[in-house]
Amino acid sequence: MTTAAKGRTATSKEAASAGAPAGSAAGSDPGEGSPAAAPPKPAAPRVPHHLPTGLGHRLRQGARRMGGRAYWTTPRLVRGLTALSLAALLGLGATATGVLGGARDGTDTIGHGAAPQAARAADLYFALSDMDAQAANLLLIGADPDYTALHRTTLDTYEQRRAQADDDLQQAAQAAADDSASQRAVQRVLGELGSYEALVARAQLLEDQAKAPAGKPSEEALTAYRQATDLLRQQLLPAADEVTAANEAVVDHVYAQQRSDLDGGWWELAAVGLFALVALFALQRTLAVRYHRVVNPALAAVTLVTAVVLAAGLHLVSTADGNLVTAKSNAYDSVIALSRARAVAYDMNADESRYLADPVLAATYQRTYLEKSQAVVRLDGATVTDYDGRLETAAAKHLADRSVPFGGYLGTELNNITFPGERDAAERVLAAFRSYQQVDHKIRVLHDAGQLKDAVTLNTGLSKGQSNYEFDQLSKAMGDTIDVNSRAMDAAVADTDDALDGTTATLAAVVLAAALVLVAVGVRPRLREYR
């Protein structure tokens, strides 16, 4: 038993020793007589912690695939360029609509809104000023039988201007519905005009009762007229001027904004249009190369139409910008300068009559007359005594070399001559203004010499060489110059209205729809080959 067991044990050791790897000692097994240990399992591959995972990783992988040449098979390339072309055409249509629509709205605001309202407010100022001038003339001629016909004519003119002022106020009130500042100014005129008219009527009644001679109104009538003219100059005229200024500010703001938009819009439209042409050309070339065709008629037509539409759109933008400059800078600026000049001139004419009618305030009215003369034609440093002489010198220099050596509203106009016939009309204004100033100087000489009735006759007379005649010539010349510019402004606005009307918008929509359809028609047969 013992011997056999030992033999079996030895045999086992031998077997174990024989099964050991080469180069290993038999005694190196840590557990003699125990079973051999199992070989270790291979370790799982480690994922580096820095590699991206999730949605961002998938997007980057997709971008890498799309960036590879293998991804862009012919159908994918054609579909991508088709989508790009369609998007570019839609972008071109949207850009053109925005730019040209803004041009139409801006021109409408200036041409049909703020500019006419500003001119109407200036006309209101003119009507109010002439009302007061006629009231002063009625007070000045009094009950003198030598002026009976003139009294009737003057009273008729006063009533005409009152009706004109009422009409201007009604229109100004309607136009100021959306402008709180203008609305307040109009309401102030409406509220005070009745008081003014009542004071003028009282002055006339007192004058008729006193039967005062020419140039010497009764103190009671003069007091009532002072109250009336103070109300006019301190309340009515500033309020009318406020309405004018508010609309002028709107015109200036819209003009500056619209010109900036049109300039930027031109370049934006050009960029989008060129992008559309490049996309269409790339699509055309891809079809030619991948399908071995020289030209795709539908895409060629779309490319040609797009080029024509782009050129037409850029031309319309340039035309709208040119019309805007004509309407505002060339025409409106002259209209408003001359409208203000005419309104101030009528108030100046009233000062001439006030000077004769009210000796207590004669120096004040003489000073305000000069201030208003300077507003029309500014001659720096001129005084009442030398104004007409310096005006002669400045006018002679202008006629000699066409320079404008003076400022004021008339200086603004003569520096902005643009349209046929405008220079002749403006120079007639200058000539009439010179004649009127010469007569005014004579009136003051007669007054200072104590020849009051002769001064009154010269001031109120309607014959050539008398003040009211010469002033009427001045007013007509101003009106003619305003008409030249008003017609040009209306023509520029109408040109933009015609170019950007509903017909243009409808035609553009039809052309865009046709272009989109033609792109689809040109590409669809090629893509069907891959179905």
Side-chain angles (χ1 to χ4, degrees), residues 301-363:
V302 173
T303 305
L304 178 61
V305 167
T306 301
V308 171
V309 168
L310 176 60
L314 293 175
H315 174 71
L316 285 175
V317 174
S318 297
T319 299
D321 184 65
N323 287 336
L324 190 64
V325 171
T326 298
K328 195 278 178 188
S329 183
N330 297 335
Y332 167 80
D333 285 354
S334 291
V335 168
I336 204 64
L338 288 163
S339 296
R340 283 180 171 274
R342 185 174 63 170
V344 169
Y346 271 88
D347 198 24
M348 176 184 71
N349 189 43
D351 277 334
E352 188 178 72
S353 296
R354 295 170 188 141
Y355 166 79
L356 293 176
D358 192 346
V360 174
L361 297 177

Side-chain angles (χ1 to χ4, degrees), residues 106-122:
T107 302
D108 184 68
T109 298
I110 292 175
H112 300 299
Q117 290 168 26
R120 191 177 300 118

